[in-house]
Amino acid sequence: MNKKSHNSGVYLFWSVALLVIPIWGLSYPETTVKHNFIAFYVYASQITALMGFSLFALSFVLSTRLNILEDLFGGLDKVYNAHHTMAKVALLFMVAHPLLLALRWVPEDVSKAIWFLFPVHRRMEINIGSWVLWGVVVLMFFTLVVRLRYDWWKYTHKILGIFFIAAVVHILLTDPTMLGNLWLKIYIWTLSIAAVSAWTYKTLLFNFVKKKYNYRVIQINRLNEKVMEIELSPLREGVRFIPGQFCFFSFRSPAVSKEAHPYTITQVKENGTIFIMVKSLGDYTGQLYDKLRSGAVGLIEGPYGRFDYKNGSHRQVWIGGGVGIAPFISWANDLIKHPSNDLKVDIFYCVNHPSEATHASVFQELQKMMPSARLHLIIRDVQGFIKLSDVEDIVMKDIFICGPREMRKALLLDSKKLNINRKNIHYEDFDFV
């Protein structure tokens, strides 16, 4: 077994974002101190503007689903979490920029300070900045607070690229003296080109250049009132994946939306037929559960993910909740075909009710093939929620977690209380969709 650390992506991207501060410091643009305004606020407004710009730009790069980013961060879920974090922090800096400039009229003329935040200026380049600010604020509001439908959310994210281009225009036109610093100019142009290229690729070109595999739905098994298992057969070339990886699936059926959503491939047969689990949790998954029929064509993009038991030690704990059990089903099916005499694993299958343990038989079969694997069925109505402290010798084992956000947070909190080495904890987070 090999252990891998995937912090390099986080360090690299935040270093690139923060690099703008020392580069800006080389120019120290005294010419921007006007109107008897305190220099600190002017400089602070410039730094927040540049930080907002750099984080905004890098968030576009992180949205491209490039394999190299997965390698740097340790999985697409980690990439998208970094994307979300950088976008949120970028918004805070972008809001802080005009607020710091507006302080010049406080407390003498508060109304003028408020109007400064709106596109009512004589200079068009400043109005552009105001439109960018309010455009991004509104779009982020609908992302973070209102929670739009997935297809609408995707559409609003496509518009963000237009606001970014406007932000670049605003920076280049508002204070050209600041860009007298050659290194700052190179930095801004480099990130601008990278971000616009990333946005163009993801928004306009992605569906044309990204390879997709064509499958046909040959059988649908509704395992209970919420969960269905879909069996798909390749029409031509089949997708190649590592057990535990997921792909983005979209279906071509008159009754189903064409949205693409991520699902883990739980099993593959020798003829290339694959299986995925879908739980009815929202509009789209509910639509799939009710209306998807055999014969529909499925388009598959991927695979993605770096969630792999082979990156752990010989003693492991797998904890899956709900449909978060999917990657562990994939691993179990792989080990049934290729048992490992060295691996000792405790599998905790967490469900609310016994009827939800739809794939317990897979792990029971694994126990027969590999006695060092043990299944523990945790039923919330009977045993309550699982705690890491209940697992024997937990500190000495590698822990793999996949499940609802609340479960994951509780287990990560347990790990801190038990002083478990962070490198021993591996999890996959599907909350990025």
Side-chain angles (χ1 to χ4, degrees):
M1 301 284 177
N2 297 313
K3 283 202 174 187
K4 296 180 181 179
S5 176
H6 295 289
N7 293 322
S8 53
V10 175
Y11 296 144
L12 174 62
F13 273 74
W14 279 100
S15 295
V16 171
L18 293 170
L19 183 62
V20 73
I21 297 177
I23 292 178
W24 168 88
L26 294 174
S27 62
Y28 202 69
E30 297 180 1
T31 55
T32 62
V33 182
K34 302 173 183 178
H35 309 297
N36 296 319
F37 191 35
I38 300 173
F40 169 79
Y41 292 109
V42 174
Y43 296 145
S45 74
Q46 290 185 350
I47 292 174
T48 53
L50 291 171
M51 280 298 300
F53 161 80
S54 63
L55 291 167
F56 198 11
L58 291 170
S59 70
F60 283 103
V61 177
L62 290 172
S63 70
T64 54
R65 297 185 192 170
L66 294 176
N67 288 335
I68 188 173
L69 295 177
E70 279 208 274
D71 292 334
L72 285 171
F73 285 84
L76 188 63
D77 58 323
K78 310 300 187 297
V79 176
Y80 271 103
N81 281 331
H83 162 77
H84 293 156
T85 300
M86 284 192 157
K88 291 176 185 177
V89 178
L91 177 63
L92 293 177
F93 279 120
M94 291 170 68
V95 171
H97 166 60
L99 286 177
L100 286 165
L101 291 175
L103 287 176
R104 75 183 77 176
W105 292 291
V106 176
E108 291 81 7
D109 193 343
V110 175
S111 63
K112 191 171 184 179
I114 293 174
W115 279 111
F116 178 79
L117 304 176
F118 294 89
V120 292
H121 304 275
R122 295 178 181 177
R123 295 170 59 188
M124 179 55 66
E125 61 269 27
I126 299 179
N127 284 334
I128 291 174
S130 296
W131 282 115
V132 169
L133 172 67
W134 287 108
V136 173
V137 166
V138 170
L139 291 178
M140 292 298 285
F141 174 79
F142 281 109
T143 296
L144 302 175
V145 180
V146 177
R147 297 286 183 180
L148 292 173
R149 275 175 38 185
Y150 182 75
D151 53 337
W152 292 1
W153 171 82
K154 283 189 68 175
Y155 179 75
T156 60
H157 264 52
K158 292 179 180 180
I159 300 175
L160 281 171
I162 298 173
F163 286 113
F164 176 79
I165 294 171
V168 174
V169 173
H170 168 71
I171 290 176
L172 295 177
L173 296 181
T174 301
D175 201 342
T177 59
M178 184 176 68
L179 297 182
N181 176 347
L182 176 62
W183 290 108
L184 187 58
K185 188 180 297 184
I186 293 173
Y187 178 91
I188 288 176
W189 275 111
T190 300
L191 282 193
S192 297
I193 293 171
V196 173
S197 298
W199 175 73
T200 302
Y201 165 74
K202 187 63 173 62
T203 303
L204 304 177
L205 304 177
F206 190 80
N207 287 331
F208 299 101
V209 301
K210 187 67 175 180
K211 184 175 182 178
K212 294 188 178 181
Y213 302 87
N214 293 282
Y215 280 69
R216 188 175 300 281
V217 176
I218 59 174
Q219 186 172 334
I220 298 172
N221 183 15
R222 289 173 174 82
L223 304 175
N224 57 36
E225 294 181 354
K226 289 282 188 179
V227 179
M228 65 193 296
E229 186 174 63
I230 305 173
E231 184 178 354
L232 303 102
S233 178
L235 295 179
R236 290 185 291 276
E237 179 186 1
V239 62
R240 296 182 180 181
F241 67 99
I242 296 171
Q245 286 190 304
F246 62 90
C247 296
F248 283 85
F249 289 75
S250 61
F251 296 93
R252 298 299 180 261
S253 170
V256 176
S257 167
K258 295 181 180 180
E259 298 173 24
H261 288 257
Y263 300 106
T264 299
I265 300 176
T266 57
Q267 183 182 0
V268 59
K269 291 184 177 180
E270 291 183 1
N271 63 359
T273 298
I274 61 174
F275 296 78
I276 61 172
M277 283 177 64
V278 178
K279 185 173 184 179
S280 178
L281 294 171
D283 293 338
Y284 175 76
T285 50
Q287 189 182 72
L288 275 186
Y289 186 91
D290 293 333
K291 299 179 179 180
L292 185 65
R293 299 290 183 266
S294 298
V297 172
L299 299 183
I300 300 178
E301 171 211 326
Y304 297 102
R306 298 294 185 270
F307 197 55
D308 189 351
Y309 72 92
K310 294 179 182 178
N311 292 332
S313 64
H314 299 292
R315 302 180 67 190
Q316 299 183 9
V317 174
W318 302 351
I319 304 175
V323 288
I325 198 67
F328 304 120
I329 297 172
S330 184
W331 294 353
N333 281 317
D334 179 57
L335 286 169
I336 288 170
K337 297 177 181 177
H338 312 286
S340 171
N341 296 324
D342 296 328
L343 180 63
K344 295 182 179 180
V345 56
D346 286 284
I347 306 157
F348 291 86
Y349 193 166
C350 304
V351 295
N352 294 318
H353 315 289
S355 62
E356 295 180 1
T358 55
H359 286 75
S361 59
V362 176
F363 301 108
Q364 290 166 352
E365 184 178 354
L366 175 62
Q367 285 185 136
K368 295 177 183 178
M369 297 295 297
M370 204 174 85
S372 58
R374 296 184 297 175
L375 171 64
H376 308 269
L377 186 59
I378 306 297
I379 302 172
R380 190 191 68 176
D381 292 347
V382 179
Q383 297 117 306
F385 294 102
I386 184 174
K387 295 182 180 179
L388 293 183
S389 56
D390 298 332
V391 183
E392 182 181 359
D393 296 329
I394 188 66
V395 177
M396 308 299 294
K397 299 175 180 179
D398 270 85
I399 306 164
F400 293 83
I401 304 168
C402 188
R405 178 186 298 179
E406 293 75 14
M407 184 191 84
R408 186 176 65 252
K409 285 185 176 179
L411 292 173
L412 292 176
L413 183 61
D414 278 353
S415 71
K416 291 181 180 178
K417 294 178 180 178
L418 296 172
N419 293 318
I420 296 175
N421 191 325
R422 183 65 185 81
K423 293 182 179 179
N424 291 351
I425 303 173
H426 319 265
Y427 62 89
E428 192 160 48
D429 175 10
F430 275 80
D431 292 325
F432 67 85
V433 294

